[in-house]
């Protein structure tokens, strides 16, 4: 059972993190291709985020929780607490900031055009937050591998 849960946890984490980093790379390409392509990329990101990233993130969390329970780890272990804290940070950034900001960008692009300075400034800010999310994801991976203790 442990191996199945670990496989699920690692697989869904890899899908979640890999798709996020892949989207950052495609986003860089979209930025170079121009404002219209960048706005289309935001639509695509929203679609992929809701259908692949959110689902894989939740499944990685659920498999991780099941692994803690079945294997007998403690939710009080530092490395587990740090992993959960990282997940909460990513959840807040994703649902609380990136999703609403993406919608605002799309609305502003529709009203003022994709090349409007306000739209482009918001895109750059959202991109910085998405890069910060990737850094948090990689820190969680480091945490899971190193398993620090107090």
């Amino acid at each position: 059972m442990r191996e199945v849960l670990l496989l699920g946890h690692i697989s869904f984490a890899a899908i979640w993190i890999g798709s996020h980093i892949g989207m950052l790379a495609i986003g860089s390409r979209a930025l170079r291709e121009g404002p219209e392509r960048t706005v289309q990329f935001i639509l695509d990101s929203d679609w992929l985020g809701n259908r692949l990233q959110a689902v894989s993130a939740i499944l990685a969390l659920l498999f991780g929780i099941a692994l803690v329970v079945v294997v007998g780890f403690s939710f009080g272990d530092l490395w587990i607490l740090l992993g959960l804290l990282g997940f909460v940070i990513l959840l807040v950034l994703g649902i609380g900031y990136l999703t609403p900001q993406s919608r605002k960008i799309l609305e502003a692009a529709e009203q003022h055009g994709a090349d409007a300075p306000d739209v482009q400034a918001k895109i750059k800010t959202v991109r910085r937050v998405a890069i910060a999310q990737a850094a948090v994801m990689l820190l969680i991976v480091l945490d899971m591998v190193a398993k620090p203790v107090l």
Side-chain angles (χ1 to χ4, degrees), residues 93-127:
L93 287 174
I95 293 173
Y97 180 78
L98 290 177
T99 299
Q101 286 301 311
S102 294
R103 290 188 182 122
K104 287 179 183 178
I105 289 169
L106 294 171
E107 290 170 6
E110 189 175 307
Q111 291 176 358
H112 308 290
D115 58 348
D118 182 47
V119 172
Q120 292 303 305
K122 285 181 185 198
I123 288 170
K124 288 179 183 170
T125 302
V126 163
R127 180 160 172 73

Side-chain angles (χ1 to χ4, degrees), residues 13 33 44 47 52 54 63 85 92:
E33 292 175 5
D44 294 340
W47 185 88
L52 178 67
F63 272 94
L85 175 63
V92 168

Side-chain angles (χ1 to χ4, degrees), residues 38-48 106:
T38 302
V39 170
Q40 180 59 49
F41 167 75
I42 292 169
L43 283 167
D44 294 340
S45 295
D46 186 55
W47 185 88
L48 187 66
L106 294 171

Side-chain angles (χ1 to χ4, degrees), residues 123-144:
I123 288 170
K124 288 179 183 170
T125 302
V126 163
R127 180 160 172 73
R128 283 187 212 107
V129 173
I131 290 168
Q133 270 192 317
V136 172
M137 289 174 175
L138 293 174
L139 286 172
I140 293 171
V141 171
L142 175 62
D143 174 58
M144 293 290 116

Side-chain angles (χ1 to χ4, degrees), residues 8 21 23 29 72-73 83 90 96 136:
I21 291 172
M23 285 173 49
R29 183 176 176 196
F73 294 124
L90 293 170
V136 172

